[in-house]
Amino acid sequence: MAVINENYLKLPGSYLFAEIAKRVATFKDDNPKANIIRLGIGDVTKPLPEAVIKGLHAAVDEMADARTFRGYGPEQGYAFLIEKIIKTDYETLGVTLAVDEVFVSDGSKSDVGNIQEIFGVNNKVAITDPVYPVYLDTNVMAGRSGQLSSGKFAGVTYLTCNAGNNFIPALPEEKVDIIYLCYPNNPTGTTLSKAELKKWVDYAKANGSIILYDAAYEAYIQEPGVPHSIYEIEGAKDVAIEFRTFSKNAGFTGTRCAFTVVPKSVMAFTADGSQYPLNSLWNRRQTTKFNGVPYIIQKGAEAVYTPEGQQQIKELISYYMANAKTIRDGLKSIGLDVFGGVNAPYIWLKTPQGYDSWSFFDKLLTDAHIVGTPGAGFGPAGEGYFRLTAFGSQESTKEAIERIKVKLSL
Ligand SMILES: *Cc1c(COP(=O)(O)O)cnc(C)c1O
């Protein structure tokens, strides 16, 4: 008799997006003529940059010729891509990395989800609240969470982020072993300063903890002084793993390419207390369970690092960040409390007096025909907040904000 992994049963259903879809469908049935604008999606909408398309086409032609055809590549990714990642994304920040410290993958979602496999089941996990659900759910599946009780898993440490603490998580009171941080943050769009990030690196050093740092939105940082990589912080190369993706900077959400940095100096412990490098564990995990990103896709990603590619992704990001400004300024002008949207494509707003996350969702849909994402869907501390995204077209984003101004003026 095959028994299931019952940890999966601890997970609540994927209620958030199903519930949104249901409410939107009902509204559409009742109002077939309404022009609904979706500012809820966390997916890019602009096509791939020209430089990437050129790189992809050239690689397809290579695969068509016996002399340049490639079969299996290195599981960790081709050196041509890794070398450009290191040179362009890290050496410019003063961070040096070896080629075998960067692992190319098919996405940060898989990497941030899979990384917990190389850690023991008894580690205490800390997540920010609200949070990108992958960090939490994969630890629930692995048996690190305990039971769900009144919205929180008993064995997980929730680091509350709200307007009260300016979305800066406080160091935990109990000792934690694995800490997930995502900056610029999804869903709140907020960032941490180098000094704030340093507190976490120092905490990890003092407690033998590991920081799993998701920098998916690094390219959206506009302000000087905001860290692009955790390795800008002294000591981080001993305690942090960093996740990056081409999804949000270069439009690869459907093309799939990302990478994870595991410096060889990052150590965790065996049960008898001796140090063990996570780089070799992750390498073992990847070479066993993953056969690499397609050559064609890695050539597309490599093209991101050409001068044209760099220019074109800058333009993509500026396009979305102009939307972020439209949303931010528009909401502020009618007196809403707005966070994020300066160094990230996410705007996190406090729902107006008298509305919780879901009743505000309904009001926005009914009065303005706009779909956003209720903050409560990202964790208990998201209640009373609401997320709008800058990934729409400039036209529809402007139209949405005009509607909000007319319908929602407080
Ligand atoms: C979009 C996103 C990712 C990227 O996932 P991919 O699998 O690389 O597309 C990772 N982390 C966060 C927080 C995200 O929002």
Side-chain angles (χ1 to χ4, degrees):
M1 186 179 74
V3 295
I4 62 163
N5 175 354
E6 289 202 23
N7 291 315
Y8 277 63
L9 306 184
K10 296 175 188 159
L11 290 167
S14 59
Y15 164 81
L16 177 63
F17 290 100
E19 182 63 23
I20 290 173
K22 197 177 102 191
R23 291 191 192 203
V24 172
T26 306
F27 179 78
K28 263 187 162 167
D29 281 347
D30 298 342
N31 306 271
K33 289 204 184 113
N35 169 19
I36 294 172
I37 299 179
R38 292 174 190 272
L39 294 184
I41 43 160
D43 193 359
V44 298
T45 55
K46 302 277 279 177
L48 292 171
E50 251 178 71
V52 170
I53 294 296
K54 254 175 74 183
L56 292 170
H57 279 163
V60 168
D61 289 341
E62 284 184 68
M63 294 297 270
D65 186 331
R67 287 164 303 178
T68 47
F69 168 80
R70 314 253 179 156
Y72 291 124
E75 290 97 339
Q76 303 89 341
Y78 284 103
F80 64 75
L81 176 57
I82 295 175
E83 281 161 6
K84 285 176 186 94
I85 289 168
I86 292 173
K87 195 160 173 271
T88 316
D89 289 343
Y90 289 97
E91 288 183 359
T92 49
L93 301 174
V95 176
T96 51
L97 292 170
V99 169
D100 57 357
E101 294 180 309
V102 177
F103 296 82
V104 176
S105 78
D106 65 340
S108 280
K109 183 180 184 175
S110 3
D111 286 355
V112 297
N114 292 332
I115 195 79
Q116 48 76 30
E117 281 184 26
I118 65 171
F119 294 95
V121 75
N122 292 324
N123 283 293
K124 179 95 178 170
V125 173
I127 56 164
T128 58
D129 176 19
V131 77
Y132 179 62
V134 179
Y135 317 145
L136 176 62
D137 290 2
T138 53
N139 278 291
V140 175
M141 292 169 175
R144 271 184 216 98
S145 68
Q147 294 296 335
L148 187 61
S149 108
S150 47
K152 290 189 180 184
F153 285 95
V156 173
T157 299
Y158 290 70
L159 309 164
T160 300
C161 296
N162 57 27
N165 62 12
N166 219 3
F167 300 91
I168 297 169
L171 293 174
E173 277 154 30
E174 71 264 32
K175 198 163 150 9
V176 300
D177 308 304
I178 299 173
I179 301 151
Y180 289 84
L181 297 177
C182 172
Y183 291 98
N185 187 258
N186 177 12
T188 67
T190 58
T191 54
L192 283 191
S193 67
K194 283 185 185 164
E196 287 299 337
L197 198 49
K198 175 115 189 347
K199 288 185 191 166
W200 288 96
V201 170
D202 292 346
Y203 175 91
K205 287 208 130 190
N207 292 282
S209 324
I210 295 292
I211 298 172
L212 302 175
Y213 193 74
D214 185 346
Y217 298 96
E218 164 280 324
Y220 287 81
I221 294 170
Q222 309 289 309
E223 294 182 318
V226 178
H228 286 251
S229 164
I230 193 165
Y231 304 122
E232 291 178 68
I233 310 303
E234 197 196 326
K237 264 174 107 178
D238 298 330
V239 295
I241 291 174
E242 178 162 293
F243 304 89
R244 295 257 192 125
T245 176
F246 296 99
S247 282
K248 311 297 166 37
N249 68 341
F252 271 56
T253 52
T255 306
R256 313 303 305 142
C257 196
F259 58 92
T260 290
V261 180
V262 190
K264 281 177 266 184
S265 45
V266 179
M267 299 285 172
F269 300 87
T270 59
D272 68 8
S274 37
Q275 290 198 319
Y276 201 91
L278 293 179
N279 178 286
S280 50
L281 285 187
W282 184 243
N283 188 54
R284 191 70 172 87
R285 192 267 170 212
Q286 288 298 81
T287 52
T288 301
K289 295 196 180 184
F290 183 59
N291 243 340
V293 175
Y295 173 72
I296 295 168
I297 302 299
Q298 292 190 62
K299 289 302 277 185
E302 183 193 23
V304 167
Y305 295 104
T306 59
E308 307 80 61
Q310 291 287 293
Q311 181 56 32
Q312 288 159 13
I313 66 168
K314 247 190 217 136
E315 285 160 19
L316 268 182
I317 289 158
S318 303
Y319 181 93
Y320 294 131
M321 287 310 287
N323 287 343
K325 183 169 165 44
T326 301
I327 298 170
R328 212 182 129 85
D329 293 352
L331 299 180
K332 278 190 156 181
S333 76
I334 56 169
L336 285 166
D337 277 336
V338 184
F339 309 94
V342 176
N343 296 299
Y346 296 116
I347 289 86
W348 189 245
L349 64 105
K350 195 148 189 20
T351 54
Q353 194 75 46
Y355 293 92
D356 65 11
S357 289
W358 279 106
S359 57
F360 187 71
F361 174 92
D362 290 333
K363 180 171 174 61
L364 209 55
L365 178 59
T366 315
D367 293 359
H369 307 169
I370 291 164
V371 180
T373 313
F378 297 101
E383 181 55 272
Y385 293 90
F386 198 80
R387 191 188 76 172
L388 294 175
T389 74
F391 289 128
S393 72
Q394 257 164 31
E395 300 69 41
S396 65
T397 303
K398 281 188 183 146
E399 158 84 21
I401 294 307
E402 286 316 308
R403 283 191 208 164
I404 291 177
K405 282 186 185 167
V406 172
K407 302 286 183 183
L408 255 83
S409 280
L410 308 172

